[in-house]
């Protein structure tokens, strides 16, 4: 009946339902007459949204207990690292299905250093680099730059960081319904909250949430819950170039509120959320 929101607002004002004010061409509702009979007797239609009725597999956050989402990182050695693992004598070292936590990798590395007595006698914070550690840490640099000279010493912290960086990275996610996902290669991408400008000009903003499926959360439910809790318009949309992923679009600059909402509603900690302000400087989690 009313193809423009301005005509709808005028009709509602003429019907004594609301009172609006016009300032610089922008209409605002300044009063809602809740005692008016049309509002008092209003009963919403019960329309089942078929699209929202389909939940992602295993998604029971509205009915079952919500667990803390967790992401554990694991590491697997390349072929070139296996010799060091074998020298240390770790049981079962090296099979393709063998994964190590960061603390286990650290134990392997420093057991090798201790067994080989590579601690610097003068500076305990440094170690003496033998041929194996030089090859593992610096061979790629030497290959790119033949004039590169292997160092003889390095700090324990630098050796540890470089050694860990040289391993395969995997991650395993515990979703909010308590199920543990299969091990996947690479580090997990956090839920990304993007702030962009809408089509309404410089004062209009959109907050887009991408990646909630990684933690077993239905994006359509997020849109529905955010609409109620954040008191704003929401929708879902496909993400260009990304399969099986829906973006939740929230009207307004709501990045901080969305981050708080994800934690309070779904127990998603800030460490698993990144905020990208495309209208200014990117915000980093603290």
């Amino acid at each position: 009946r009313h193809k423009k929101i301005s005509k709808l607002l005028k009709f509602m004002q003429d019907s004594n339902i609301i009172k609006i004010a016009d300032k610089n061409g922008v209409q605002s509702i300044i009063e809602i007459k809740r005692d008016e009979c049309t509002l008092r007797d209003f009963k919403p239609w019960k329309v089942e949204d078929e699209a929202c009725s389909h939940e992602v597999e295993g998604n029971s956050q509205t009915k079952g207990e919500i667990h803390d989402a967790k992401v554990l990182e694991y590491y697997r050695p390349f072929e070139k690292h296996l010799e060091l693992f074998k020298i240390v004598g770790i049981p079962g070292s090296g099979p393709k299905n063998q994964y190590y936590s960061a603390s286990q990798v650290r134990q392997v590395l420093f057991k090798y250093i201790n067994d080989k007595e590579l601690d610097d006698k003068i500076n305990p914070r440094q170690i003496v680099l033998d041929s194996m550690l030089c090859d593992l840490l610096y061979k790629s640099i030497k290959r790119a730059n033949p004039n590169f000279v292997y160092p003889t010493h390095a700090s324990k912290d630098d050796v540890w960081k470089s050694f860990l960086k040289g391993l395969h990275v995997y991650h395993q996610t515990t979703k909010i319904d308590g199920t543990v996902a299969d091990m996947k290669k690479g580090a997990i991408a956090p839920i990304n909250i993007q702030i962009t400008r809408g089509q309404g000009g410089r004062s209009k903003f959109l907050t887009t949430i991408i990646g909630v499926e990684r933690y077993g959360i239905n994006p359509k439910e997020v849109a529905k819950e955010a609409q109620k809790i954040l008191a704003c318009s929401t929708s879902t949309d496909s993400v260009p170039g990304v399969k099986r992923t829906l973006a939740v679009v929230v009207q307004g600059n709501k990045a901080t509120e969305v981050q708080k909402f994800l934690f309070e509603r779904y127990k998603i900690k800030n460490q698993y959320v990144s905020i990208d302000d495309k209208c200014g400087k990117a915000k980093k989690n603290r």
Side-chain angles (χ1 to χ4, degrees), residues 45-266:
W45 290 358
K46 294 183 178 181
V47 179
E48 183 178 356
D49 186 350
E50 183 179 356
C52 292
S53 65
H54 297 289
E55 296 185 348
V56 293
E57 184 177 356
N59 178 28
S60 59
Q61 57 257 42
T62 56
K63 298 180 180 179
E65 180 183 358
I66 296 179
H67 299 259
D68 287 349
K70 296 179 183 178
V71 179
L72 298 178
E73 283 194 340
Y74 293 92
Y75 301 86
R76 215 177 72 190
F78 283 90
E79 290 292 332
K80 63 181 182 180
H81 298 89
L82 293 183
E83 186 62 30
L84 185 146
F85 277 70
K86 291 176 182 178
I87 291 174
V88 171
I90 302 298
S93 296
K96 291 185 177 181
N97 61 348
Q98 183 72 45
Y99 301 95
Y100 302 89
S101 66
S103 62
Q104 289 173 324
V105 173
R106 186 180 180 89
Q107 290 175 5
V108 170
L109 174 63
F110 283 95
K111 187 175 188 308
Y112 175 84
I113 292 172
N114 292 333
D115 290 349
K116 294 291 183 177
E117 298 182 350
L118 298 177
D119 289 293
D120 192 318
K121 306 301 181 184
I122 300 175
N123 185 353
R125 294 184 178 181
Q126 288 194 326
I127 65 170
V128 179
L129 297 172
D130 64 0
S131 58
M132 175 169 286
L133 287 178
C134 282
D135 283 343
L136 291 177
L137 303 179
Y138 305 109
K139 194 170 184 177
S140 60
I141 301 176
K142 182 72 173 179
R143 191 180 299 114
N145 181 12
N147 295 325
F148 175 78
V149 178
Y150 284 149
T152 58
H153 295 71
S155 70
K156 291 182 177 179
D157 191 48
D158 287 344
V159 170
W160 156 240
K161 290 179 180 179
S162 297
F163 187 81
L164 189 67
K165 188 177 179 181
L167 303 179
H168 288 292
V169 182
Y170 291 80
H171 72 269
Q172 191 171 47
T173 306
T174 300
K175 299 181 180 181
I176 65 170
D177 62 0
T179 60
V180 180
D182 293 335
M183 194 80 69
K184 294 185 178 180
K185 192 172 183 178
I188 190 171
I191 295 174
N192 185 232
I193 301 174
Q194 298 180 0
I195 307 168
T196 56
R197 294 195 186 278
Q199 297 180 353
R202 295 182 60 85
S203 61
K204 302 294 182 180
F205 295 92
L206 295 176
T207 302
T208 306
I209 312 166
I210 302 173
V212 297
E213 295 95 337
R214 303 182 189 113
Y215 300 88
I217 306 173
N218 187 343
K220 291 184 178 180
E221 180 179 308
V222 173
K224 184 177 179 181
E225 292 294 311
Q227 185 177 37
K228 293 187 295 185
I229 295 176
L230 304 181
C232 59
S233 177
T234 64
S235 62
T236 57
D237 197 4
S238 58
V239 180
V242 182
K243 297 180 180 179
R244 296 185 295 276
T245 298
L246 284 178
V248 179
V249 182
V250 179
Q251 296 290 329
N253 187 343
K254 301 283 187 178
T256 303
E257 293 92 332
V258 166
Q259 190 174 31
K260 182 180 179 182
F261 160 72
L262 289 174
F263 175 71
E264 293 181 348
R265 181 67 180 84
Y266 300 106

Side-chain angles (χ1 to χ4, degrees), residues 272-284:
Y272 304 133
V273 178
S274 67
I275 300 178
D276 185 11
D277 186 353
K278 295 184 178 296
C279 302
K281 295 182 179 179
K283 299 180 182 179
K284 297 182 179 179

